[in-house]
Amino acid sequence: MRVLIALRELGVSFEYIEEDLRGRERSDLVLRMNPVHRMVPILIHRGRPICNSINILEYIDEVWGHLHAEAGGTQLLPADPLERASARFWADFVDHKVFNTEMMLFKSNGDDQKEAAKGELIRQLRQLEGALGDKNFFSGNEFGFLDIVVIPLSMSQADAVGEAVQGEGERQEYSSR
Protein backbone atom coordinates (compact mmCIF):
# COMPACT_ATOMS: atom_id res chain seq x y z
CA MET A 1 0.00 0.00 0.00
CA ARG A 2 2.82 2.44 0.89
CA VAL A 3 4.51 1.99 -2.47
CA LEU A 4 1.29 2.51 -4.39
CA ILE A 5 0.52 5.68 -2.45
CA ALA A 6 4.01 7.11 -3.02
CA LEU A 7 4.02 6.34 -6.75
CA ARG A 8 0.58 7.86 -7.19
CA GLU A 9 1.40 10.88 -5.02
CA LEU A 10 4.40 11.70 -7.23
CA GLY A 11 2.54 10.93 -10.47
CA VAL A 12 4.81 8.05 -11.47
CA SER A 13 3.37 5.62 -14.00
CA PHE A 14 3.83 1.97 -13.10
CA GLU A 15 2.57 -1.53 -13.67
CA TYR A 16 1.04 -3.22 -10.64
CA ILE A 17 1.27 -6.99 -10.20
CA GLU A 18 -0.54 -8.56 -7.27
CA GLU A 19 1.07 -11.41 -5.35
CA ASP A 20 -1.25 -13.84 -3.54
CA LEU A 21 0.13 -14.15 0.00
CA ARG A 22 -2.39 -16.66 1.32
CA GLY A 23 -0.24 -19.63 0.34
CA ARG A 24 3.36 -20.37 1.19
CA GLU A 25 4.55 -20.42 -2.42
CA ARG A 26 5.80 -17.28 -4.10
CA SER A 27 5.83 -16.51 -7.78
CA ASP A 28 8.99 -17.00 -9.82
CA LEU A 29 9.21 -13.23 -10.20
CA VAL A 30 9.26 -12.64 -6.41
CA LEU A 31 11.76 -15.46 -5.89
CA ARG A 32 14.00 -14.01 -8.58
CA MET A 33 13.71 -10.38 -7.50
CA ASN A 34 13.86 -10.90 -3.73
CA PRO A 35 15.58 -14.24 -3.14
CA VAL A 36 16.71 -13.32 0.37
CA HIS A 37 13.38 -12.48 2.01
CA ARG A 38 10.98 -13.75 -0.68
CA MET A 39 8.58 -10.96 0.24
CA VAL A 40 6.74 -8.07 -1.33
CA PRO A 41 6.70 -5.19 -1.91
CA ILE A 42 9.30 -5.08 -4.63
CA LEU A 43 9.81 -2.17 -6.99
CA ILE A 44 11.59 -3.08 -10.21
CA HIS A 45 13.19 -0.08 -11.84
CA ARG A 46 15.43 -0.40 -14.88
CA GLY A 47 15.36 -4.17 -14.40
CA ARG A 48 16.74 -4.06 -10.86
CA PRO A 49 14.76 -4.77 -7.67
CA ILE A 50 14.38 -2.47 -4.69
CA CYS A 51 12.91 -4.28 -1.67
CA ASN A 52 11.32 -3.27 1.64
CA SER A 53 8.67 -0.57 1.63
CA ILE A 54 10.71 2.05 3.54
CA ASN A 55 13.69 1.58 1.20
CA ILE A 56 11.35 1.78 -1.77
CA LEU A 57 9.76 5.02 -0.51
CA GLU A 58 13.18 6.63 -0.13
CA TYR A 59 14.19 5.41 -3.58
CA ILE A 60 11.00 6.74 -5.15
CA ASP A 61 11.65 10.13 -3.56
CA GLU A 62 15.28 10.18 -4.70
CA VAL A 63 14.42 9.23 -8.29
CA TRP A 64 11.12 11.07 -8.88
CA GLY A 65 10.62 13.46 -5.97
CA HIS A 66 12.64 16.31 -7.48
CA LEU A 67 10.58 16.08 -10.69
CA HIS A 68 7.39 16.34 -8.66
CA ALA A 69 8.83 19.33 -6.76
CA GLU A 70 9.85 21.06 -10.00
CA ALA A 71 6.25 20.69 -11.20
CA GLY A 72 5.00 22.51 -8.10
CA GLY A 73 4.56 19.55 -5.74
CA THR A 74 6.73 18.49 -2.85
CA GLN A 75 9.16 15.67 -2.30
CA LEU A 76 8.18 12.89 0.09
CA LEU A 77 11.08 13.45 2.49
CA PRO A 78 11.73 16.90 3.95
CA ALA A 79 14.54 18.96 2.42
CA ASP A 80 16.12 19.69 5.81
CA PRO A 81 18.56 16.91 6.88
CA LEU A 82 17.41 17.02 10.53
CA GLU A 83 13.78 16.73 9.51
CA ARG A 84 14.66 13.84 7.16
CA ALA A 85 16.48 12.08 10.01
CA SER A 86 13.46 12.60 12.25
CA ALA A 87 11.09 11.21 9.61
CA ARG A 88 13.33 8.14 9.22
CA PHE A 89 13.48 7.69 13.01
CA TRP A 90 9.68 7.72 13.31
CA ALA A 91 9.30 5.43 10.29
CA ASP A 92 11.61 2.95 12.03
CA PHE A 93 9.54 3.36 15.22
CA VAL A 94 6.36 2.53 13.29
CA ASP A 95 7.86 -0.48 11.52
CA HIS A 96 9.71 -1.98 14.48
CA LYS A 97 7.73 -0.93 17.56
CA VAL A 98 4.16 -0.14 16.57
CA PHE A 99 3.89 -2.92 13.98
CA ASN A 100 5.31 -5.51 16.40
CA THR A 101 2.90 -4.44 19.13
CA GLU A 102 0.04 -4.62 16.65
CA MET A 103 1.06 -8.18 15.78
CA MET A 104 1.20 -9.06 19.50
CA LEU A 105 -2.34 -7.74 19.85
CA PHE A 106 -3.57 -9.72 16.85
CA LYS A 107 -1.91 -12.91 18.07
CA SER A 108 -2.63 -12.51 21.79
CA ASN A 109 -4.12 -15.41 23.68
CA GLY A 110 -6.41 -14.38 26.48
CA ASP A 111 -7.67 -11.10 27.82
CA ASP A 112 -4.56 -10.26 29.87
CA GLN A 113 -2.22 -10.48 26.87
CA LYS A 114 -4.67 -8.60 24.73
CA GLU A 115 -5.08 -5.80 27.29
CA ALA A 116 -1.31 -5.50 27.77
CA ALA A 117 -0.71 -5.27 24.03
CA LYS A 118 -3.58 -2.81 23.63
CA GLY A 119 -2.15 -0.61 26.40
CA GLU A 120 1.29 -0.65 24.80
CA LEU A 121 -0.16 0.12 21.38
CA ILE A 122 -2.07 3.09 22.77
CA ARG A 123 1.12 4.35 24.47
CA GLN A 124 3.05 4.07 21.20
CA LEU A 125 0.32 5.80 19.22
CA ARG A 126 0.35 8.65 21.72
CA GLN A 127 4.11 8.99 21.19
CA LEU A 128 3.50 9.16 17.45
CA GLU A 129 0.73 11.68 18.01
CA GLY A 130 3.19 13.78 20.01
CA ALA A 131 5.51 13.82 17.01
CA LEU A 132 2.63 15.03 14.84
CA GLY A 133 1.74 17.79 17.28
CA ASP A 134 -0.73 20.30 15.90
CA LYS A 135 0.44 19.94 12.30
CA ASN A 136 -1.82 18.65 9.54
CA PHE A 137 0.90 16.27 8.33
CA PHE A 138 4.08 14.95 9.90
CA SER A 139 6.21 17.17 7.69
CA GLY A 140 4.07 20.25 8.29
CA ASN A 141 1.52 21.40 5.74
CA GLU A 142 2.42 18.88 3.03
CA PHE A 143 1.62 15.17 2.81
CA GLY A 144 4.84 13.17 2.78
CA PHE A 145 7.02 10.22 3.70
CA LEU A 146 5.96 9.59 7.30
CA ASP A 147 2.29 10.12 6.48
CA ILE A 148 2.60 7.37 3.88
CA VAL A 149 4.37 5.10 6.38
CA VAL A 150 1.56 5.53 8.92
CA ILE A 151 -1.45 5.08 6.61
CA PRO A 152 -1.52 1.25 6.51
CA LEU A 153 -1.23 1.10 10.28
CA SER A 154 -3.90 3.70 10.85
CA MET A 155 -6.36 1.62 8.86
CA SER A 156 -6.00 -1.36 11.18
CA GLN A 157 -5.15 0.37 14.48
CA ALA A 158 -8.59 1.83 15.04
CA ASP A 159 -10.18 -1.59 14.81
CA ALA A 160 -7.46 -3.25 16.89
CA VAL A 161 -7.75 -0.79 19.73
CA GLY A 162 -11.54 -0.76 19.44
CA GLU A 163 -11.78 -4.53 20.09
CA ALA A 164 -12.57 -5.55 16.50
CA VAL A 165 -9.22 -7.20 15.85
CA GLN A 166 -8.65 -8.18 12.24
CA GLY A 167 -6.28 -10.82 10.92
CA GLU A 168 -3.19 -10.07 8.89
CA GLY A 169 -3.82 -8.82 5.36
CA GLU A 170 -3.77 -11.32 2.58
CA ARG A 171 -2.46 -9.08 -0.15
CA GLN A 172 0.55 -6.86 -0.63
CA GLU A 173 1.64 -4.72 -3.51
CA TYR A 174 4.20 -5.48 -6.12
CA SER A 175 5.07 -2.59 -8.35
CA SER A 176 7.05 -2.65 -11.52
CA ARG A 177 8.12 0.00 -13.98
Side-chain angles (χ1 to χ4, degrees):
M1 178 182 300
R2 292 171 173 172
V3 174
L4 294 174
I5 293 168
L7 290 168
R8 289 179 178 147
E9 183 67 20
L10 295 184
V12 178
S13 62
F14 62 94
E15 176 187 356
Y16 173 84
I17 301 171
E18 183 137 339
E19 178 78 10
D20 185 357
L21 300 179
R22 291 176 290 187
R24 297 181 62 87
E25 297 296 318
R26 296 290 170 252
S27 68
D28 289 340
L29 187 58
V30 168
L31 296 177
R32 207 172 55 246
M33 292 293 141
N34 191 356
V36 174
H37 295 290
R38 299 174 179 215
M39 295 171 46
V40 293
I42 303 166
L43 174 75
I44 302 171
H45 184 233
R46 298 182 181 156
R48 297 183 63 191
I50 300 93
C51 303
N52 177 294
S53 65
I54 298 294
N55 292 337
I56 296 170
L57 293 182
E58 290 188 42
Y59 182 85
I60 289 169
D61 193 49
E62 289 173 10
V63 173
W64 294 288
H66 70 282
L67 298 173
H68 189 251
E70 289 169 7
T74 59
Q75 290 194 232
L76 299 178
L77 280 159
D80 179 72
L82 286 174
E83 290 178 22
R84 273 197 315 274
S86 179
R88 289 178 176 128
F89 169 84
W90 287 109
D92 184 73
F93 176 79
V94 167
D95 269 6
H96 293 100
K97 294 286 188 180
V98 179
F99 179 74
N100 288 341
T101 302
E102 181 183 47
M103 289 302 104
M104 286 188 330
L105 179 60
F106 289 154
K107 295 177 180 181
S108 62
N109 295 322
D111 290 340
D112 290 343
Q113 282 185 342
K114 189 175 190 175
E115 287 304 313
K118 188 187 301 183
E120 179 62 13
L121 182 59
I122 290 170
R123 186 186 70 73
Q124 291 169 347
L125 291 174
R126 285 190 177 136
Q127 286 180 297
L128 199 56
E129 186 177 39
L132 177 62
D134 60 356
K135 300 176 287 196
N136 292 326
F137 301 100
F138 282 99
S139 59
N141 291 325
E142 301 292 331
F143 182 78
F145 174 78
L146 191 53
D147 303 296
I148 294 171
V149 169
V150 172
I151 285 175
L153 290 173
S154 65
M155 294 172 67
S156 61
Q157 300 287 332
D159 286 339
V161 173
E163 296 286 329
V165 179
Q166 299 175 358
E168 293 180 50
E170 296 179 349
R171 301 183 311 175
Q172 288 287 327
E173 66 270 4
Y174 171 90
S175 301
S176 171
R177 180 163 194 255

